[in-house]
Amino acid sequence: MRVCVFTEPHRGATYDDQLRMARLAEDGGYEGFLRADHYRSMELEGGLPGPTDAWVTLAGLARETTRIRLGTLVSSVTFRLPGPLAVTVAQVDQMSGGRVELGLGTGWYEREHTAYGIPFPPLGERFDRLEEQLAIVTGLWATPSGGRFSHHGEYYRLVDAPALPRPAQRPRPPIIIGGRGPKRTPRLAARYADEFNLPFRNVSETAEAFERVIEAQERAGRTRDGRAPLVLSAGIVVAIGRNDAEARRRAAPLHVPSALPPEDPVIGSPAQLVDRIGEFAAIGATRVHLRLLDLADLDHLELIAAKVLPQLDSGVDDR
């Protein structure tokens, strides 16, 4: 099982807070450090000292880490135009030596859009834009050196783009698509993504989403045209402690009123997290993204590295 850290800096974290956690995650043996791409906290209050831009942050981390993979879960199509997004991600991939992953989605949190003057079209249009952006980003990255890329769509028009800079990874940085949508999300994942992620739901709901995506990639002929099958991943909200009191303290932010949908957290011991990861593995997940609520709580990260990761690597339960 591949284990990544997922963080939400919009809850209130500076670049230095994120750098400390990313470096510690790298030292602790985690595969990846991925962050949300939001400009405002989901809670009615809080979020100090304010938002940090996801791709500006990842560019910095790319130069200040050496091994850990870096990416977004997920960037919103409403935030950036697809051509400049492809340039940005390719540049950060070069800066990292080929360690970047792009999670891309429709966006959902209207309040942050109105706060910063970002247009927020209806969901159907956002899905249409997502599909066009995926076609453009992957098309630019797939254009041969010296070639040109054009796109004439409903929302975006590119004419003779030089498809530069080139990402370091070949054939491209991995693309992550996730969400609970029953139709368009599986279809887009099957066509464009390298990984499908269902965030923070229970095992039963996750299994149903995995089944829809597997069926979609079979309909798309993905299993017959030589492309690798989608990586299936799950997101897990985590509040782990050495005792019940410590776990409850770490879970306290989950009780604050928020715009987030209902989630299925693991609150308790390292053993409970090992068990939950095992349940996700049993339904086909080969990667998990552990959402840690407090970026300043580095002891939480170290506890999981010491008590959970070794069991996943060795398969030995030494609880």
Side-chain angles (χ1 to χ4, degrees), residues 132 135-136 149-160:
E132 273 198 60
I136 291 166
F149 175 83
S150 296
H151 174 90
H152 303 279
E154 183 176 357
Y155 299 104
Y156 307 106
R157 177 182 172 90
L158 283 73
V159 180
D160 292 334

Side-chain angles (χ1 to χ4, degrees), residues 162-240:
L164 296 171
R166 312 294 298 175
Q169 295 177 85
R170 294 290 184 269
R172 68 183 190 201
I175 291 175
I176 305 171
I177 294 176
R180 300 188 303 276
K183 296 180 180 179
R184 294 190 73 175
T185 298
R187 180 175 62 81
L188 292 176
R191 181 174 181 183
Y192 291 107
D194 301 281
E195 175 178 333
F196 171 78
N197 173 259
L198 190 72
F200 319 126
R201 312 302 293 180
N202 63 39
V203 176
S204 175
E205 290 175 289
T206 304
E208 293 173 0
F210 284 178
E211 289 173 3
R212 290 193 294 267
V213 169
I214 291 169
E215 292 171 358
Q217 72 177 355
E218 290 174 350
R219 287 194 300 270
R222 184 168 180 140
T223 56
R224 300 186 298 275
D225 62 11
R227 287 185 294 163
L230 282 161
V231 171
L232 302 177
S233 70
I236 309 175
V237 182
V238 176
I240 298 302

Side-chain angles (χ1 to χ4, degrees), residues 68-149:
I68 199 163
R69 297 194 64 79
L70 304 165
T72 52
L73 274 180
V74 295
S75 290
S76 171
V77 297
T78 57
F79 290 171
R80 301 169 187 89
L81 296 171
L85 175 63
V87 170
T88 297
V89 178
Q91 182 178 356
V92 178
D93 194 49
Q94 288 185 358
M95 294 167 69
S96 72
R99 293 182 284 125
V100 159
E101 306 183 13
L102 170 62
L104 196 60
T106 60
W108 64 272
Y109 189 34
E110 185 174 8
R111 189 166 174 252
E112 69 185 334
H113 290 76
T114 56
Y116 288 98
I118 302 170
F120 188 69
L123 180 59
E125 179 180 329
R126 299 201 309 275
F127 261 109
D128 293 340
R129 288 179 178 272
L130 173 61
E131 187 160 8
E132 273 198 60
Q133 289 210 9
L134 288 164
I136 291 166
V137 170
T138 58
L140 283 165
W141 290 344
T143 299
S145 297
R148 295 288 187 269
F149 175 83

Side-chain angles (χ1 to χ4, degrees), residues 250-275:
R250 287 183 167 134
L254 297 173
H255 305 300
V256 175
S258 164
L260 288 169
E263 299 168 328
D264 187 36
V266 176
I267 303 171
S269 68
Q272 288 173 270
L273 179 55
V274 171
D275 289 343

